[in-house]
Amino acid sequence: MILAGLLLPMNHRLSWFPCAFFVGYALLFLRKDLGWRYAFNLCFALLAGALLNIAVRAWWADLSILGTFSGALSSPVATPQPLRDFIHLVFVGSPQFLNDTAQNNNSYDWFISGKPVLLSHHFVQNLFWLAMLVLPFLGKTWRQRYLFSFPLFAFFAFWRSGYYNPTYGAGFSLCCVLMLLAACAYMKPPQRWLLKSVLAVSIFNGISYIATRVENHQEANYFSSVAHLHAFVSAQPSLKKIVLPERFTPAIAGLSVSRFVTFKDDFPDDIDVLIIDDYDKLMYTFVPDFDKKKADLERAEKKMCLKETITLPVYQGDTLRTELQVDKQAILTGSWFFRNSVRYRLNIYLKCR
């Protein structure tokens, strides 16, 4: 368990939420089972894993480890928005943002005519997260009540941190569904059927999600783009530092280069290759320092030489509802994961020689 405590925070930094929650569990309950020493060692392993997360990322990117620690400690924390606005973002704004309306309607359209704008599988799935308000009261012991409070803890952690990625909501709503099913074990039959009906709706939502995103499309052009980018960067003999979109990082698999992700990482001035997905300028507006990172990319573009532009629809055979607009007031079409029926444009830059 100590090893797991070390490795967990070295994953995506979203894992720091359950790490912080588990620290409370270790100090409140685990110490009674295994003793204070074991509980403190586990808490230390979680902290060490978080520090290694920062150090390893800096080492892989050829950055100063001490400088990265200093920057992480001194960088300002994003100011949380008013709680009312955050609730609206999670349960209203995000479902509208992620709803698939570019070409293929969601499954609720098949059953309800003249539906409200919000009604979609995203909206219904996020509603399950509201179970966080009743879950702590379903526990029979204080240990169960604490564990059942994790979705509520995560919700306020997102709010207080000033950072919320809309794509994470479904994970915590699914956590609520699983905890409701766990609570079924000691409930009477009428209550069990009520909670099991939540699972049935969740399964229907999953079918709607898959049908909307997978079954109604032809082959995705993403894979050909990755292969093209891989061939391009592999042909650069002096390539050492590259900046590219997060979803195209498989294009540099197997290459010994320093990688910086657009809108996620700060990058130095002396980069060799810059790849920009214009649609990311619309999709990453949620990051706290978006304006700064966008300005950094624009400065880098002006210093480098454009070598190639790739313009493709997300899926072969799709009928586009609208063209991508970045320089004007853009209309957010499509969805986060696959950007349904939106034409994306990749600009590939090389260091000018």
Side-chain angles (χ1 to χ4, degrees):
M1 188 180 292
I2 298 294
L3 179 60
L6 180 68
L7 295 178
L8 178 59
M10 293 181 66
N11 203 328
H12 193 288
R13 289 191 179 181
L14 180 64
S15 65
W16 291 2
F17 285 0
C19 287
F21 186 80
F22 195 72
V23 166
Y25 178 81
L27 297 179
L28 290 173
F29 304 104
L30 201 58
R31 62 175 178 81
K32 298 178 183 179
D33 302 329
L34 301 174
W36 278 104
R37 178 177 296 179
Y38 190 92
F40 277 123
N41 286 340
L42 183 57
C43 293
F44 178 79
L46 290 166
L47 175 61
L51 297 177
L52 281 173
N53 182 300
I54 299 173
V56 170
R57 283 162 58 93
W59 174 52
W60 281 349
D62 278 343
L63 299 177
S64 167
I65 295 179
L66 293 178
T68 303
F69 274 117
S70 177
L73 295 175
S74 61
S75 58
V77 178
T79 303
Q81 61 189 130
L83 181 58
R84 182 177 178 179
D85 293 343
F86 181 69
I87 292 173
H88 185 276
L89 169 66
V90 174
F91 297 107
V92 179
S94 294
Q96 287 180 321
F97 176 64
L98 293 174
N99 189 24
D100 297 325
T101 57
Q103 178 183 357
N104 304 294
N105 294 328
N106 64 73
S107 298
Y108 291 91
D109 292 324
W110 302 346
F111 302 98
I112 302 175
S113 60
K115 67 178 180 64
V117 175
L118 275 177
L119 189 56
S120 68
H121 46 255
H122 293 290
F123 175 69
V124 174
Q125 186 67 33
N126 274 23
L127 283 183
F128 294 146
W129 203 352
L130 288 174
M132 65 185 176
L133 301 175
V134 299
L135 275 169
F137 300 101
L138 298 181
K140 293 298 183 180
T141 65
W142 282 109
R143 186 187 296 249
Q144 289 178 353
R145 294 184 189 109
Y146 182 86
L147 292 174
F148 282 173
S149 69
F150 174 65
L152 184 62
F153 170 85
F155 184 86
F156 279 97
F158 275 122
W159 171 55
R160 290 302 304 170
S161 67
Y163 169 78
Y164 174 65
N165 185 327
T167 63
Y168 299 154
F172 292 96
S173 66
L174 182 59
C175 182
C176 287
V177 172
L178 295 176
M179 287 181 173
L180 287 173
L181 288 177
C184 284
Y186 44 82
M187 286 188 172
K188 297 178 180 180
Q191 296 170 320
R192 290 184 184 179
W193 283 113
L194 176 63
L195 297 185
K196 288 180 179 178
S197 66
V198 173
L199 176 63
V201 176
S202 180
I203 292 174
F204 176 81
N205 262 9
I207 295 173
S208 171
Y209 179 93
I210 293 173
T212 304
R213 296 174 179 273
V214 178
E215 297 298 333
N216 294 331
H217 296 291
Q218 297 180 20
E219 181 181 349
N221 283 309
Y222 166 80
F223 303 102
S224 62
S225 296
V226 169
H228 183 86
L229 293 177
H230 180 76
F232 181 88
V233 296
S234 298
Q236 310 305 317
S238 59
L239 175 60
K240 295 181 179 179
K241 299 178 182 180
I242 182 171
V243 178
L244 76 169
E246 185 173 27
R247 69 191 185 109
F248 286 107
T249 52
I252 59 172
L255 300 180
S256 181
V257 297
S258 297
R259 182 197 73 180
F260 304 90
V261 174
T262 56
F263 296 104
K264 292 291 185 73
D265 300 326
D266 294 325
F267 55 88
D269 292 331
D270 58 335
I271 57 175
D272 301 301
V273 173
L274 171 65
I275 301 172
I276 295 181
D277 182 352
D278 275 347
Y279 205 63
D280 282 353
K281 296 177 182 178
L282 303 177
M283 304 307 291
Y284 278 92
T285 55
F286 64 86
V287 298
D289 52 352
F290 169 78
D291 290 334
K292 176 185 177 299
K293 292 189 181 299
K294 182 180 177 182
D296 290 342
L297 285 174
E298 291 172 350
R299 281 195 297 271
E301 284 183 89
K302 294 177 181 178
K303 294 179 182 178
M304 305 188 74
C305 293
L306 179 64
K307 291 298 180 181
E308 187 177 0
T309 296
I310 303 174
T311 305
L312 292 169
V314 174
Y315 295 93
Q316 296 178 15
D318 264 358
T319 302
L320 305 184
R321 186 180 72 176
T322 184
E323 294 290 338
L324 171 63
Q325 299 178 44
V326 175
D327 300 325
K328 304 176 182 178
Q329 182 66 32
I331 300 173
L332 293 180
T333 61
S335 60
W336 175 274
F337 293 97
F338 293 109
R339 297 152 167 88
N340 293 16
S341 299
V342 173
R343 189 183 299 275
Y344 66 90
R345 184 175 65 214
L346 295 176
N347 288 326
I348 305 173
Y349 297 85
L350 276 178
K351 180 188 292 184
C352 297
R353 290 178 171 81

